[in-house]
Amino acid sequence: ATANLIFSLEEIHLDLSQAIPCGLIINEVISNCFKHAFDTTSNPTISISIRQREKIELSIKDNGKGFETECAQNQNSLGITLVEAFTKQLDGQFSYKSFDGTEFSLIFDTLT
């Protein structure tokens, strides 16, 4: 499957101990978009933004079918487990919202 990718990326600087788990989270979330979101979507789009304010703010949003938030949080899927573990390494917080697709948000402090 192919999707339109929209990037809104600010230059940020991460310590290697943060860059690796952050990259693995991005990989996992985007993989989940392709696996689950676009079964019935005619023009699949994934928007990725990263910016630095007081904290690093990462957002990945798709225009897919969305999901039941309660179901997703109750599932002990490997993907959610990985995202939780990598977020813990970053000492950050993540959330999912399902509205006109699914939006994943991650916020963490930078070490640099």
Side-chain angles (χ1 to χ4, degrees):
T2 60
N4 299 309
L5 297 175
I6 300 171
F7 297 99
S8 175
L9 308 174
E10 292 182 5
E11 183 174 324
I12 62 167
H13 298 276
L14 296 178
D15 183 271
L16 190 61
S17 68
Q18 290 184 306
I20 292 171
C22 187
L24 291 168
I25 288 170
I26 292 168
N27 181 68
E28 184 59 38
V29 173
I30 292 174
S31 294
N32 283 339
C33 291
F34 284 104
K35 278 191 238 173
H36 304 292
F38 299 135
D39 300 345
T40 59
T41 306
S42 60
N43 188 22
T45 302
I46 300 172
S47 302
I48 304 161
S49 74
I50 193 161
R51 62 187 195 159
Q52 185 168 355
R53 300 296 181 259
E54 292 91 44
K55 296 177 180 273
I56 303 287
E57 301 172 8
L58 169 71
S59 172
I60 301 172
K61 180 164 181 22
D62 67 58
N63 68 337
K65 62 185 177 187
F67 66 91
E68 295 293 325
T69 308
E70 297 80 22
C71 291
Q73 289 171 344
N74 290 338
Q75 286 180 346
N76 286 324
S77 71
L78 179 59
I80 294 282
T81 304
L82 289 171
V83 169
E84 286 174 347
F86 296 134
T87 300
K88 191 172 182 180
Q89 285 182 25
L90 293 168
D91 197 22
Q93 291 133 6
F94 75 93
S95 64
Y96 281 96
K97 286 189 288 193
S98 187
F99 179 76
D100 289 337
T102 301
E103 182 174 7
F104 169 84
S105 299
L106 171 69
I107 298 174
F108 62 96
D109 287 313
T110 181
L111 296 177
T112 56

